Amino acid sequence: MAKFRTYKNGITGLRYQGYFIVSNEANPDKFDIIDENHYPLVQLYDSIEECKWYLDKYTATPEQKEMIEQLATMEIYELNHRMMELFRKNEGKRMDKATRHELDIVTTVRNRKVSDKPL
């Protein structure tokens, strides 16, 4: 619960991608995603990371969704190679926002595949 804070609109949770991740009232071990008007988007996720993954897919542009689908078909060693390419691309320089976002998606897909979580 340390990640949560209370916002001006009265929501106590974690703001991510324009939505809020909050604890479920009936089951505090589960998490819900709500908008700023307190309307639920989805409910009863097991972890904050699962909520973030759902929001990453939900708010993705068509190009990003296509990239996620392509990454989902790749093997873990191919994802490792792609991660290293992105690191080498910006070696010695600050990573731009688009490259950082792509690296985050590749890392998330890779970690979900390693953990046998659904994509």
Side-chain angles (χ1 to χ4, degrees), residues 62-108:
E63 295 83 21
Q64 291 170 337
K65 288 179 183 181
E66 184 179 324
M67 182 178 66
I68 291 171
E69 290 174 10
Q70 289 174 350
L71 293 171
T73 63
M74 297 171 83
E75 295 293 328
I76 294 171
Y77 73 90
E78 293 172 313
L79 293 169
N80 288 339
H81 181 71
R82 182 67 187 136
M83 285 172 55
M84 293 310 296
E85 285 177 351
L86 291 170
F87 280 127
R88 283 191 207 112
K89 178 180 172 183
N90 291 303
E91 198 167 336
K93 297 181 277 182
R94 186 178 187 132
M95 217 178 265
D96 62 19
K97 194 172 186 177
T99 304
R100 181 69 202 163
H101 185 69
E102 183 179 354
L103 179 62
D104 289 343
I105 291 174
V106 172
T107 304
T108 303

Side-chain angles (χ1 to χ4, degrees), residues 3-102:
K3 293 182 177 183
F4 288 176
R5 65 175 257 206
T6 303
Y7 293 90
K8 289 181 182 177
N9 59 4
I11 296 174
T12 299
L14 174 69
R15 187 172 178 88
Y16 188 77
Q17 301 280 356
Y19 293 91
F20 296 91
I21 300 170
V22 299
S23 290
N24 184 279
E25 292 179 12
N27 188 352
D29 295 334
K30 303 283 185 173
F31 299 93
D32 300 339
I33 301 172
I34 62 173
D35 65 9
E36 58 187 40
N37 297 321
H38 301 264
Y39 293 116
L41 183 61
V42 293
Q43 295 180 318
L44 299 174
Y45 270 100
D46 291 329
S47 68
I48 293 172
E49 289 74 28
E50 290 294 319
C51 292
K52 286 182 176 182
W53 175 243
Y54 176 84
L55 286 173
D56 284 340
K57 291 189 312 183
Y58 184 77
T59 60
T61 63
E63 295 83 21
Q64 291 170 337
K65 288 179 183 181
E66 184 179 324
M67 182 178 66
I68 291 171
E69 290 174 10
Q70 289 174 350
L71 293 171
T73 63
M74 297 171 83
E75 295 293 328
I76 294 171
Y77 73 90
E78 293 172 313
L79 293 169
N80 288 339
H81 181 71
R82 182 67 187 136
M83 285 172 55
M84 293 310 296
E85 285 177 351
L86 291 170
F87 280 127
R88 283 191 207 112
K89 178 180 172 183
N90 291 303
E91 198 167 336
K93 297 181 277 182
R94 186 178 187 132
M95 217 178 265
D96 62 19
K97 194 172 186 177
T99 304
R100 181 69 202 163
H101 185 69
E102 183 179 354

